[in-house]
Amino acid sequence: MSAPTDYRVVVVGTDGSGLAGPTVARAAWLAAREDADLVIVCAFADLSRRAEAKNVATLGGDIRIGQVLGRAAASEAIAAAVSVAQAQNATISAALLVDGEPAAALLETAAAREAQLIVVGARHERSLAERLLGSVALEVTKRATCDVLVVRPVPDAAPE
């Protein structure tokens, strides 16, 4: 039987949604407990200034793909995640805005930082399109070369 993994670097994704706070809190709690560095990642789709101005409800992005729409909304999501992580006394080594697809951003960051754990939130799949397209959590768990922790919403607090 092999020894359990020591987590030295924990990567967590955030999209500013209702599930992001509990996901970051869990990752930060684990990072603090393990004395590990926490890396927070927010994947976003860059929008033109005009498109971003039109999209006033971008915080949380498109919940179907977990990608935040626009740099401003991504910055807000990162700021909120940093605040949550600080409340858990985690050592935040980086808070990254990544223009791209969420699963790829998490996997690439984890590989580059030699992470031992990726923490992602996963909503309960609600539509046929979501089941066919898959989710960020599913893609990360299929492709990750390190441990993955999937944080599910609490039934009473499930995001709409």
Side-chain angles (χ1 to χ4, degrees):
M1 178 181 251
S2 64
T5 301
D6 287 330
Y7 297 127
R8 295 178 310 281
V9 178
V10 176
V11 172
V12 63
T14 185
D15 63 1
S17 69
L19 183 55
T23 301
V24 172
R26 178 69 55 89
W29 179 84
L30 279 168
R33 184 179 181 108
E34 295 284 320
D35 196 26
D37 288 338
L38 182 66
V39 178
I40 303 169
V41 178
C42 181
F44 71 99
D46 208 5
L47 299 173
S48 69
R49 283 181 175 219
R50 181 180 176 136
E52 194 164 348
K54 282 182 165 183
N55 195 8
V56 295
T58 58
L59 189 59
D62 179 351
I63 63 170
R64 185 179 55 112
I65 61 170
Q67 190 173 40
V68 175
L69 301 177
R71 184 175 293 274
S75 294
E76 288 179 34
I78 282 285
V82 165
S83 178
V84 167
Q86 287 172 334
Q88 295 292 328
N89 297 316
T91 301
I92 303 166
S93 63
L96 309 171
L97 297 177
V98 179
D99 186 359
E101 191 273 321
L106 288 168
L107 292 163
E108 290 166 12
T109 300
R113 302 273 176 158
E114 299 178 352
Q116 292 76 42
L117 177 66
I118 300 171
V119 181
V120 294
R123 293 172 186 83
H124 296 285
E125 309 301 339
R126 289 177 281 194
S127 71
L128 178 59
E130 286 173 325
R131 288 192 294 273
L132 291 174
L133 293 171
S135 68
V136 173
L138 178 62
E139 193 62 26
V140 169
T141 57
K142 286 191 326 190
R143 296 178 36 209
T145 58
C146 62
D147 290 351
V148 177
L149 171 63
V150 178
V151 177
R152 302 294 288 194
V154 176
D156 294 334
E160 294 297 317

